[in-house]
Amino acid sequence: MIHAQGVAEVTDQDFEAQVLAERGRPVLVEFTADWCGPCRQLAPVLSAIAAEEAERLKVVQIDADRNPATVVRYGVLSMPTLLVFRDGEPVKQMVGARAKRKLLQELEEVTGAAATGSAAATGRATVTA
């Protein structure tokens, strides 16, 4: 499995305890595999988000090849698939690698936080009168 630094690995055996039982903050689960090129691109993004958003978001990875029960349970067909769980229920699904800024924007609705207010982070200039 392509391991993102600072991101815990979960398995079929502990998925319920580590993901479904989490309360108080959403859990972002990356379904990944060794053979997945886009998963390699996503690893540093997940590492950064896990470190920066630890209070608002738990980030974990699951190896799709070694944990088929969870893959089948959630109908995962492509890698990487990102599923966000809140209070044990899947609330958002994203497929494919993406830049950190884009992923943070997509996660805003589940974390309740803006990605960041800086123009550099959003790619938009701020105009003040």
Side-chain angles (χ1 to χ4, degrees):
M1 182 177 89
I2 299 153
H3 187 74
Q5 185 175 358
V7 176
E9 181 178 355
V10 297
T11 65
D12 284 345
Q13 289 71 36
D14 65 0
F15 191 85
E16 186 168 340
Q18 294 296 318
V19 176
L20 303 181
E22 180 75 24
R23 298 294 182 259
R25 66 180 172 161
V27 182
L28 173 62
V29 180
E30 180 205 19
F31 289 81
T32 187
D34 286 332
W35 48 264
C36 172
C39 298
R40 285 186 184 83
Q41 295 172 320
L42 193 56
V45 172
L46 290 180
S47 293
I49 290 174
E52 295 167 15
E53 300 292 326
E55 291 182 21
R56 288 190 293 257
L57 181 71
K58 180 177 181 178
V59 182
V60 299
Q61 294 178 293
I62 186 165
D63 186 312
D65 291 331
R66 288 189 224 134
N67 298 283
T70 304
V71 170
V72 170
R73 180 176 182 181
Y74 294 102
V76 173
L77 301 174
S78 300
M79 303 303 141
T81 289
L82 303 168
L83 279 177
V84 181
F85 290 81
R86 182 182 288 280
D87 297 329
E89 295 296 323
V91 295
K92 186 168 185 70
Q93 179 175 338
M94 299 161 280
V95 177
R98 58 230 325 115
K100 178 183 168 188
R101 179 181 44 131
K102 180 170 173 42
L103 182 54
L104 284 171
Q105 288 170 344
E106 291 175 304
L107 292 171
E108 282 179 21
E109 65 189 64
V110 293
T111 62
T116 68
S118 75
T122 61
R124 293 176 287 214
T126 303
V127 178
T128 57

